[in-house]
Amino acid sequence: MRDGAEPAGRRSVHPLAGPGAHLLVSGGAGFIGSCFVREVLGRRDGTRITVLDKLTYAGSEANLAAIRADPEQAGRFRFVRGDIANPADVDPLVETTDAVVNFAAESHVDRSILDPEAFLTTGVIGVHVLLEACRRATERAREGARSAPRYLQVSTDEVYGSVEQGRSWEGDPLAPRSPYSAAKAAGDMLVRSYVATYGLDALVTRGANTYGPHQHPEKLIPLFVTNAIDDQPLPLYGDGLQRRDWLHVADHAGAIEFVLRHGASGEIYNIPGSAEMTNRDVVTVLLERLGKPWSLVRTVADRPGHDRRYAMDGGKLAALGWQNRMPFEAGIAETVDWFRANEGWWRAIRSGDWDDYYARQYGARLAASTQAD
Ligand code: NAD
Ligand code: TYD
């Protein structure tokens, strides 16, 4: 896999850009994957999508309800419940697809600290199973039986580790610091090895911290919005001066599709956000939009190994022709309003196993918390 910048001016279009392409979207019932599926089918260009999703605590068919409600889109859509780590679930689907876009992962850093195993099973074994299926399909393509599938691995800026100064670019060494980011880095490395060894048509995108409608309420922004709606404490880790670069989910999904269609095989593309901010500043914006007081914010014990800052260089993706569209101010207003208008969606998620997770993650922290200054 080539990590450096592409020659200026090169921008090819992959054959699956044409109407009638068939995509396999693993993890398509989650936050970013479901946005990708809604956006691609919503363009009504004939593209067909099969979603393969295990429906873990993080996945929900409710995220795809709008597609089922539209007969034209529903006709180009299929949902299969299954596990990317199980070849019996994966192999038959890859045989008939033009491209695999893999969103499936355990995605929450705090849960990876509590229980790392599932992160490795999905992030390492699962990616390997998908790549093996693509390798076999590519070999059949060389015998003339079909066209070779393209594989896109959805990865994260967290594989670069904490970036105290400057910006990460695609050629930087990986330095993950949580079980989540270590599993994601392993997935990236497997893709790299399948490009070099088997000549797979594969790419990696590394997206920034993503926010927007349908995000699971375990993550910072939806957790704080939904807690604040209920006047519950907002558990801010440490000094709250950690920095993240926020990317709206529609921009993240759009950039992934853009790279799928225009990216060069073997390349990695960073997808930066539109607003680098401290967590304290993000919380201030949320509370202002909600009309809730800062007194809800509690300082709690920090996350172990908490990465201080993520920041990526986006020059390579910009040179390919992509620009984010959603400014943070408009995106956060839309997101807060969506959570206010869709209480049924998040209250269903914040029930059952949620209470056990919340008690494990925040019980002792909140009991020992102080009012944030
Ligand atoms: P999510 O947790 O909302 O969704 C993950 C989806 O994958 C769920 O639908 C879940 O059921 C499914 N899944 C999990 N394990 C599976 C398995 N073994 N087989 C099949 N399906 C499985 O996650 P998200 O926030 O939408 O993230 C999607 C991808 O984007 C992940 O790979 C994540 O690492 C990456 N990413 C996320 C962010 C972010 O800020 N959320 C940023 C950059 C990259
Ligand atoms: P998160 O949404 O978990 O994303 P990531 O760990 O992938 O960056 O967290 C974003 C930031 O918010 C991160 O610096 C941790 C912090 N955070 C809190 O302060 N309190 C919380 O309860 C959570 C979930 C996150």
Side-chain angles (χ1 to χ4, degrees):
M1 175 154 283
R2 295 174 296 279
D3 304 327
E6 286 181 84
R10 192 168 103 215
R11 180 175 152 187
S12 60
V13 180
H14 192 266
L16 60 81
H22 182 197
L23 310 184
L24 176 62
V25 179
S26 43
F31 165 49
I32 307 169
S34 68
C35 179
F36 176 89
V37 172
R38 292 191 305 271
E39 299 267 326
V40 171
L41 290 179
R43 264 204 316 280
R44 302 177 194 279
D45 65 357
T47 304
R48 291 175 294 131
I49 289 184
T50 298
V51 164
L52 172 65
D53 198 294
K54 190 177 174 182
L55 296 181
T56 66
Y57 77 94
S60 170
E61 284 195 80
N63 291 336
L64 300 163
I67 292 158
R68 296 207 191 278
D70 177 331
E72 193 281 327
Q73 293 188 54
R76 292 181 286 115
F77 173 71
R78 180 158 81 111
F79 180 83
V80 177
R81 186 170 190 177
D83 187 342
I84 63 162
N86 181 0
D89 293 342
V90 167
D91 293 355
L93 298 179
V94 173
E95 269 169 29
T96 57
T97 197
D98 297 307
V100 178
V101 187
N102 180 37
F103 292 90
E106 293 289 337
S107 67
H108 191 38
V109 172
D110 290 323
R111 291 192 196 246
S112 84
I113 294 167
L114 294 172
D115 292 309
E117 191 174 334
F119 288 75
L120 301 182
T121 308
T122 296
V124 184
I125 307 298
V127 170
H128 177 244
V129 167
L130 290 170
L131 290 170
E132 272 295 292
C134 288
R135 176 169 79 88
R136 284 191 294 276
T138 302
E139 282 166 5
R140 280 197 300 283
R142 290 191 184 120
E143 292 157 7
R146 51 162 295 166
S147 59
R150 168 160 268 207
Y151 180 89
L152 190 148
Q153 172 70 7
V154 178
S155 187
T156 165
D157 57 1
E158 302 193 26
V159 298
Y160 296 118
S162 194
V163 185
E164 307 299 322
Q165 286 183 345
R167 297 183 174 277
S168 312
W169 75 288
E170 289 84 350
D172 280 348
L174 305 189
R177 289 158 37 86
S178 72
Y180 163 69
S181 53
K184 295 298 294 184
D188 290 16
M189 293 291 108
L190 281 169
V191 175
R192 178 188 171 95
S193 76
Y194 271 66
V195 170
T197 307
Y198 304 112
L200 224 66
D201 177 6
L203 313 91
V204 172
T205 56
R206 294 187 179 140
N209 272 72
T210 306
Y211 71 97
H214 297 270
Q215 187 169 28
H216 193 284
E218 67 195 358
K219 307 291 193 320
L220 174 75
I221 287 176
L223 178 72
F224 278 30
V225 169
T226 56
N227 275 14
I229 288 171
D230 283 348
D231 297 313
Q232 293 299 307
L234 312 183
L236 190 64
Y237 296 153
D239 62 9
L241 296 176
Q242 305 84 4
R243 301 179 77 86
R244 299 291 185 263
D245 181 22
W246 292 98
L247 173 64
H248 189 269
V249 65
D251 279 334
H252 195 165
I256 288 168
E257 199 209 353
F258 187 83
V259 169
L260 180 70
R261 291 173 186 257
H262 301 290
S265 181
E267 297 289 340
I268 299 166
Y269 296 91
N270 288 345
I271 308 175
S274 306
E276 185 186 327
M277 297 171 72
T278 66
N279 292 340
R280 292 180 78 92
D281 286 344
V282 170
V283 176
T284 302
V285 171
L286 298 179
L287 290 171
E288 266 171 25
R289 183 78 191 174
L290 286 160
K292 297 285 184 175
W294 180 261
S295 57
L296 287 174
V297 183
R298 310 290 302 182
T299 297
V300 300
D302 208 349
R303 170 188 283 175
H306 196 166
D307 288 337
R308 197 72 182 158
R309 174 175 178 259
Y310 302 131
M312 287 186 292
D313 182 282
K316 186 170 169 182
L317 183 61
L320 197 65
W322 174 261
Q323 277 190 321
N324 287 339
R325 292 168 192 138
M326 183 67 94
F328 183 75
E329 297 69 25
I332 208 72
E334 175 228 52
T335 301
V336 169
D337 294 350
W338 187 88
F339 277 91
R340 275 202 287 222
N342 289 276
E343 286 201 15
W345 182 89
W346 56 265
R347 288 200 191 281
I349 293 170
R350 291 182 57 135
S351 63
D353 293 351
W354 172 263
D355 289 341
D356 291 341
Y357 165 70
Y358 203 83
R360 266 180 95 190
Q361 181 61 25
Y362 297 108
R365 279 190 165 88
L366 283 169
S369 68
T370 55
Q371 178 69 56
D373 55 20

